[in-house]
Amino acid sequence: IMPLLEKCGNTGSRTPQTIVIPRAREVGQSYATSVWTTLVALAHSAYVVLMFSPEVILCNGPGTCIPICFWALMARWLGIRNTKIVFVESFARVSSLSLSGILLYPFADLFAVQWKPLTKRYKRAVFGGVLS
């Protein structure tokens, strides 16, 4: 992971932390009930971005990355904090991106894939090899 973080120009000056936030939507959850869980995830994510002011968000989707990246982008666009977003696409995505990947591709500072053919289709993608 560190070589990927170095590619986006930030190795982090603080000790890395893992912060667990609620998922916006569980696998198989109906869209109707996911409205509430998405609002809860957005609230928790706003708290994390405002209180911890992360330098880098390393995410791989799907249920948690969109809310936290939304607030990181809002903070960036408002000039509050320039949090780097590093998105690592799932190993299972061989020929196309996940929905989270599609949404974050234009905004991620570093977009890593685990299958080299994806770099031909998505020019900003970086082949990170199989990450474990």
Side-chain angles (χ1 to χ4, degrees), residues 35-92:
V35 172
W36 172 251
T37 55
T38 299
L39 291 173
V40 170
L42 281 166
H44 279 267
S45 298
Y47 173 80
V48 168
V49 170
L50 293 173
M51 296 306 292
F52 292 93
S53 191
E55 294 177 39
V56 176
I57 294 174
L58 174 62
C59 58
N60 68 336
T64 56
C65 76
I66 298 301
I68 193 83
C69 291
F70 170 81
W71 288 114
L73 288 168
M74 289 295 109
R76 181 186 299 177
W77 293 333
L78 293 171
I80 297 169
R81 175 76 175 163
N82 188 18
T83 300
K84 302 290 184 192
I85 297 173
V86 177
F87 181 83
V88 180
E89 186 57 274
S90 169
F91 176 77

Coordinates of all heavy atoms in Angstrom, one line a residue, residues 35-92:
V35 N -32.2 4.4 2.3 CA -32.2 5.8 2.5 C -31.7 6.2 3.9 O -30.9 7.0 4.1 CB -33.6 6.4 2.2 CG1 -33.6 7.9 2.5 CG2 -33.9 6.2 0.7
W36 N -32.3 5.5 4.9 CA -32.0 5.8 6.3 C -30.5 5.5 6.6 O -29.8 6.2 7.2 CB -32.9 5.1 7.2 CG -32.5 5.2 8.7 CD1 -31.9 4.2 9.4 CD2 -32.4 6.4 9.5 NE1 -31.6 4.7 10.7 CE2 -31.9 6.1 10.7 CE3 -32.8 7.7 9.2 CZ2 -31.7 7.0 11.7 CZ3 -32.7 8.6 10.3 CH2 -32.1 8.3 11.5
T37 N -30.1 4.3 6.2 CA -28.7 3.9 6.5 C -27.7 4.7 5.7 O -26.6 5.0 6.3 CB -28.5 2.4 6.1 OG1 -28.8 2.1 4.7 CG2 -29.3 1.5 7.0
T38 N -28.0 5.2 4.6 CA -27.2 6.2 3.9 C -27.0 7.5 4.6 O -25.9 8.1 4.7 CB -27.7 6.4 2.4 OG1 -27.7 5.2 1.7 CG2 -26.8 7.4 1.7
L39 N -28.1 8.0 5.1 CA -28.1 9.2 5.9 C -27.3 9.1 7.2 O -26.5 10.0 7.6 CB -29.5 9.7 6.3 CG -30.4 10.2 5.1 CD1 -31.8 10.4 5.6 CD2 -29.8 11.4 4.5
V40 N -27.4 7.9 7.8 CA -26.6 7.6 9.0 C -25.1 7.6 8.6 O -24.2 8.2 9.3 CB -27.0 6.3 9.7 CG1 -26.0 5.8 10.8 CG2 -28.4 6.4 10.3
A41 N -24.8 6.9 7.5 CA -23.4 6.8 7.1 C -22.8 8.2 6.7 O -21.7 8.5 7.0 CB -23.3 5.9 5.9
L42 N -23.7 9.0 6.1 CA -23.2 10.4 5.7 C -22.9 11.2 7.0 O -22.0 12.0 7.0 CB -24.3 11.1 4.9 CG -24.3 10.7 3.4 CD1 -25.6 11.2 2.8 CD2 -23.1 11.3 2.7
A43 N -23.8 11.1 8.0 CA -23.6 11.8 9.3 C -22.3 11.4 9.9 O -21.5 12.2 10.4 CB -24.7 11.6 10.2
H44 N -22.0 10.1 10.0 CA -20.8 9.6 10.6 C -19.6 10.0 9.8 O -18.5 10.4 10.4 CB -20.8 8.0 10.7 CG -21.6 7.5 11.9 ND1 -21.0 7.2 13.1 CD2 -22.9 7.3 12.0 CE1 -21.9 6.8 13.9 NE2 -23.1 6.8 13.3
S45 N -19.7 10.0 8.5 CA -18.6 10.4 7.6 C -18.3 11.9 7.8 O -17.1 12.2 7.8 CB -18.9 10.1 6.2 OG -19.1 8.7 6.0
A46 N -19.3 12.7 7.9 CA -19.1 14.1 8.1 C -18.3 14.3 9.4 O -17.3 15.1 9.4 CB -20.4 14.9 8.1
Y47 N -18.7 13.6 10.4 CA -18.0 13.7 11.7 C -16.5 13.3 11.6 O -15.6 14.0 12.1 CB -18.7 12.8 12.8 CG -17.9 12.8 14.1 CD1 -18.1 13.8 15.0 CD2 -17.1 11.7 14.4 CE1 -17.4 13.7 16.2 CE2 -16.4 11.6 15.6 CZ -16.6 12.6 16.5 OH -15.9 12.6 17.7
V48 N -16.2 12.3 10.9 CA -14.9 11.8 10.7 C -14.0 12.8 10.0 O -12.9 13.2 10.4 CB -14.8 10.4 10.0 CG1 -13.4 10.1 9.6 CG2 -15.4 9.3 10.9
V49 N -14.6 13.3 8.9 CA -13.8 14.3 8.1 C -13.6 15.6 8.9 O -12.5 16.1 8.9 CB -14.5 14.6 6.7 CG1 -13.9 15.7 6.0 CG2 -14.5 13.3 5.9
L50 N -14.6 16.1 9.6 CA -14.4 17.3 10.3 C -13.6 17.2 11.6 O -12.8 18.1 11.9 CB -15.8 17.9 10.7 CG -16.6 18.4 9.4 CD1 -18.0 18.7 9.9 CD2 -15.9 19.5 8.7
M51 N -13.7 16.1 12.3 CA -13.0 15.9 13.6 C -11.6 15.4 13.4 O -10.7 15.8 14.2 CB -13.8 15.0 14.5 CG -15.2 15.6 14.9 SD -15.1 17.3 15.6 CE -14.3 17.0 17.1
F52 N -11.4 14.5 12.5 CA -10.1 13.9 12.3 C -9.2 14.5 11.2 O -8.0 14.3 11.2 CB -10.2 12.4 12.1 CG -10.7 11.6 13.2 CD1 -12.1 11.4 13.4 CD2 -9.9 11.2 14.2 CE1 -12.6 10.7 14.5 CE2 -10.4 10.4 15.3 CZ -11.7 10.2 15.4
S53 N -9.9 15.3 10.3 CA -9.2 15.9 9.2 C -8.1 15.0 8.6 O -6.9 15.3 8.6 CB -8.5 17.2 9.8 OG -8.1 18.0 8.7
P54 N -8.6 13.9 8.0 CA -7.6 13.0 7.4 C -6.8 13.5 6.3 O -7.3 14.3 5.5 CB -8.5 11.8 6.9 CG -9.8 12.4 6.7 CD -10.0 13.6 7.7
E55 N -5.5 13.1 6.2 CA -4.6 13.5 5.1 C -4.9 12.6 3.9 O -4.9 13.1 2.8 CB -3.2 13.3 5.5 CG -2.7 14.2 6.6 CD -1.3 13.9 7.0 OE1 -0.5 13.6 6.2 OE2 -1.0 14.0 8.2
V56 N -5.2 11.3 4.1 CA -5.5 10.4 3.1 C -6.6 9.5 3.5 O -6.7 9.0 4.6 CB -4.2 9.5 2.8 CG1 -4.6 8.4 1.7 CG2 -3.0 10.3 2.4
I57 N -7.5 9.2 2.5 CA -8.6 8.2 2.7 C -8.3 7.1 1.8 O -8.2 7.3 0.5 CB -10.0 8.8 2.5 CG1 -10.3 9.8 3.5 CG2 -11.0 7.7 2.5 CD1 -11.6 10.6 3.3
L58 N -8.0 5.9 2.3 CA -7.8 4.7 1.5 C -9.0 3.9 1.6 O -9.4 3.5 2.6 CB -6.6 4.0 2.1 CG -6.3 2.6 1.5 CD1 -5.9 2.8 0.0 CD2 -5.2 1.9 2.2
C59 N -9.7 3.7 0.4 CA -10.9 3.0 0.4 C -11.0 2.1 -0.8 O -10.3 2.2 -1.7 CB -12.1 4.0 0.4 SG -12.1 5.1 -1.0
N60 N -11.9 1.1 -0.6 CA -12.2 0.1 -1.7 C -13.6 -0.1 -1.9 O -14.0 -1.1 -2.6 CB -11.4 -1.2 -1.4 CG -12.0 -1.9 -0.2 OD1 -12.6 -1.3 0.7 ND2 -11.8 -3.2 -0.2
G61 N -14.5 0.7 -1.3 CA -15.9 0.5 -1.5 C -16.5 -0.7 -0.9 O -15.8 -1.4 -0.1
P62 N -17.7 -1.1 -1.1 CA -18.7 -0.3 -1.8 C -19.6 0.5 -0.8 O -20.0 1.6 -1.0 CB -19.5 -1.3 -2.5 CG -19.4 -2.5 -1.7 CD -18.1 -2.5 -1.0
G63 N -19.9 -0.1 0.4 CA -20.9 0.4 1.2 C -20.5 1.6 2.1 O -21.3 2.4 2.6
T64 N -19.2 1.9 2.2 CA -18.7 3.0 3.1 C -18.0 4.0 2.4 O -17.9 5.2 2.8 CB -17.8 2.4 4.2 OG1 -16.7 1.7 3.6 CG2 -18.6 1.5 5.2
C65 N -17.4 3.8 1.2 CA -16.5 4.7 0.6 C -17.2 6.0 0.0 O -16.6 7.0 0.1 CB -15.6 4.1 -0.4 SG -16.3 3.7 -2.0
I66 N -18.3 5.8 -0.5 CA -19.0 7.0 -1.1 C -19.3 8.1 -0.1 O -18.9 9.3 -0.3 CB -20.2 6.6 -1.9 CG1 -19.8 5.6 -3.1 CG2 -21.0 7.8 -2.5 CD1 -18.8 6.2 -4.1
P67 N -19.9 7.8 1.0 CA -20.2 8.9 2.0 C -18.9 9.6 2.5 O -18.8 10.8 2.6 CB -20.9 8.2 3.1 CG -21.5 7.0 2.5 CD -20.6 6.6 1.5
I68 N -17.9 8.8 2.8 CA -16.6 9.5 3.4 C -15.9 10.3 2.3 O -15.4 11.4 2.5 CB -15.7 8.4 4.0 CG1 -14.6 9.1 4.8 CG2 -15.1 7.5 3.0 CD1 -15.0 9.5 6.2
C69 N -15.9 9.8 1.1 CA -15.3 10.5 0.0 C -16.1 11.7 -0.4 O -15.6 12.8 -0.8 CB -15.1 9.6 -1.2 SG -13.8 8.3 -1.0
F70 N -17.4 11.6 -0.3 CA -18.3 12.8 -0.5 C -17.9 14.0 0.4 O -17.7 15.1 -0.1 CB -19.8 12.5 -0.3 CG -20.7 13.6 -0.3 CD1 -21.1 14.2 -1.5 CD2 -21.1 14.2 0.9 CE1 -22.0 15.3 -1.5 CE2 -21.9 15.3 0.9 CZ -22.4 15.9 -0.3
W71 N -17.7 13.7 1.7 CA -17.4 14.8 2.6 C -15.9 15.2 2.4 O -15.6 16.4 2.6 CB -17.6 14.3 4.1 CG -19.1 14.3 4.4 CD1 -19.8 13.2 4.6 CD2 -20.0 15.4 4.3 NE1 -21.2 13.5 4.8 CE2 -21.3 14.9 4.6 CE3 -19.9 16.8 4.1 CZ2 -22.4 15.7 4.7 CZ3 -21.0 17.6 4.2 CH2 -22.3 17.0 4.5
A72 N -15.0 14.3 2.1 CA -13.7 14.7 1.8 C -13.6 15.7 0.6 O -12.9 16.7 0.6 CB -12.8 13.5 1.5
L73 N -14.4 15.4 -0.4 CA -14.5 16.2 -1.6 C -15.1 17.6 -1.3 O -14.7 18.6 -1.8 CB -15.2 15.5 -2.8 CG -14.5 14.4 -3.4 CD1 -15.4 13.6 -4.3 CD2 -13.3 14.9 -4.2
M74 N -16.2 17.6 -0.4 CA -16.8 18.8 0.0 C -15.7 19.7 0.7 O -15.6 20.9 0.5 CB -18.0 18.6 0.9 CG -19.2 18.0 0.2 SD -19.9 19.1 -1.0 CE -19.5 18.3 -2.5
A75 N -15.0 19.1 1.6 CA -14.0 19.8 2.4 C -12.9 20.4 1.4 O -12.4 21.5 1.6 CB -13.3 18.9 3.4
R76 N -12.6 19.6 0.4 CA -11.6 20.1 -0.6 C -12.1 21.2 -1.4 O -11.4 22.2 -1.5 CB -11.2 18.9 -1.5 CG -10.2 19.3 -2.6 CD -10.0 18.2 -3.6 NE -9.5 17.0 -3.0 CZ -9.3 15.8 -3.7 NH1 -9.5 15.8 -5.0 NH2 -8.8 14.8 -3.1
W77 N -13.3 21.1 -1.9 CA -13.9 22.2 -2.7 C -14.2 23.4 -1.9 O -14.2 24.5 -2.5 CB -15.2 21.6 -3.4 CG -14.9 20.6 -4.4 CD1 -13.7 20.4 -5.1 CD2 -15.7 19.5 -4.8 NE1 -13.8 19.3 -5.9 CE2 -15.1 18.7 -5.8 CE3 -17.0 19.2 -4.5 CZ2 -15.6 17.6 -6.4 CZ3 -17.6 18.1 -5.1 CH2 -16.9 17.3 -6.1
L78 N -14.4 23.3 -0.6 CA -14.7 24.5 0.2 C -13.4 25.1 0.8 O -13.4 26.1 1.5 CB -15.6 24.1 1.4 CG -17.0 23.8 1.0 CD1 -17.8 23.3 2.1 CD2 -17.7 25.0 0.3
G79 N -12.2 24.4 0.5 CA -10.9 24.9 0.9 C -10.6 24.6 2.4 O -9.7 25.2 2.9
I80 N -11.4 23.7 3.0 CA -11.1 23.3 4.4 C -10.0 22.4 4.6 O -9.1 22.6 5.4 CB -12.4 22.7 5.0 CG1 -13.6 23.7 4.9 CG2 -12.2 22.2 6.4 CD1 -14.9 23.1 5.2
R81 N -9.9 21.4 3.7 CA -8.8 20.4 3.8 C -8.7 19.7 2.5 O -9.6 19.4 1.8 CB -9.2 19.3 4.9 CG -8.3 18.2 5.0 CD -7.0 18.6 5.8 NE -6.2 17.4 6.0 CZ -4.9 17.5 6.3 NH1 -4.4 18.7 6.4 NH2 -4.2 16.5 6.5
N82 N -7.4 19.5 2.0 CA -7.2 18.8 0.8 C -6.8 17.3 1.1 O -5.7 16.9 0.9 CB -6.1 19.5 0.0 CG -5.9 18.9 -1.4 OD1 -6.8 18.2 -1.9 ND2 -4.8 19.1 -2.0
T83 N -7.8 16.6 1.5 CA -7.6 15.2 1.8 C -7.5 14.4 0.5 O -8.2 14.5 -0.5 CB -8.9 14.6 2.5 OG1 -9.0 15.3 3.7 CG2 -8.7 13.1 2.8
K84 N -6.4 13.6 0.4 CA -6.2 12.7 -0.8 C -7.1 11.5 -0.7 O -7.2 10.9 0.4 CB -4.7 12.3 -0.9 CG -3.7 13.4 -0.9 CD -3.8 14.2 -2.2 CE -2.7 15.2 -2.2 NZ -2.8 16.1 -3.3
I85 N -7.6 11.1 -1.8 CA -8.5 10.0 -1.9 C -7.7 8.9 -2.8 O -7.4 9.1 -3.9 CB -9.8 10.3 -2.5 CG1 -10.6 11.3 -1.6 CG2 -10.6 9.0 -2.7 CD1 -11.9 11.8 -2.2
V86 N -7.5 7.8 -2.1 CA -6.9 6.6 -2.8 C -8.0 5.5 -2.9 O -8.4 5.0 -1.8 CB -5.6 6.1 -2.1 CG1 -5.1 4.9 -2.8 CG2 -4.6 7.2 -2.0
F87 N -8.4 5.1 -4.1 CA -9.4 4.1 -4.2 C -8.7 2.9 -4.8 O -8.0 3.0 -5.8 CB -10.5 4.6 -5.2 CG -11.6 3.6 -5.4 CD1 -12.6 3.5 -4.4 CD2 -11.6 2.7 -6.4 CE1 -13.6 2.5 -4.6 CE2 -12.6 1.7 -6.6 CZ -13.6 1.6 -5.7
V88 N -8.9 1.7 -4.2 CA -8.4 0.5 -4.7 C -9.6 -0.4 -5.1 O -10.4 -0.8 -4.3 CB -7.6 -0.3 -3.6 CG1 -7.1 -1.6 -4.1 CG2 -6.5 0.6 -3.1
E89 N -9.7 -0.6 -6.4 CA -10.8 -1.4 -7.0 C -10.7 -2.9 -6.5 O -9.6 -3.4 -6.3 CB -10.8 -1.3 -8.5 CG -11.9 -2.0 -9.2 CD -13.3 -1.4 -8.8 OE1 -13.8 -2.0 -7.7 OE2 -13.9 -0.6 -9.4
S90 N -11.8 -3.5 -6.4 CA -11.9 -4.9 -6.0 C -11.1 -5.8 -6.9 O -11.1 -5.7 -8.1 CB -13.3 -5.3 -5.9 OG -13.4 -6.7 -5.7
F91 N -10.5 -6.8 -6.3 CA -9.9 -7.9 -7.0 C -10.8 -8.6 -8.0 O -10.5 -9.1 -9.1 CB -9.3 -8.9 -6.1 CG -8.6 -10.1 -6.7 CD1 -7.4 -10.0 -7.3 CD2 -9.3 -11.3 -6.7 CE1 -6.8 -11.1 -7.9 CE2 -8.7 -12.4 -7.4 CZ -7.5 -12.3 -7.9
A92 N -12.1 -8.6 -7.6 CA -13.1 -9.3 -8.4 C -13.5 -8.5 -9.7 O -14.1 -9.1 -10.6 CB -14.4 -9.4 -7.6

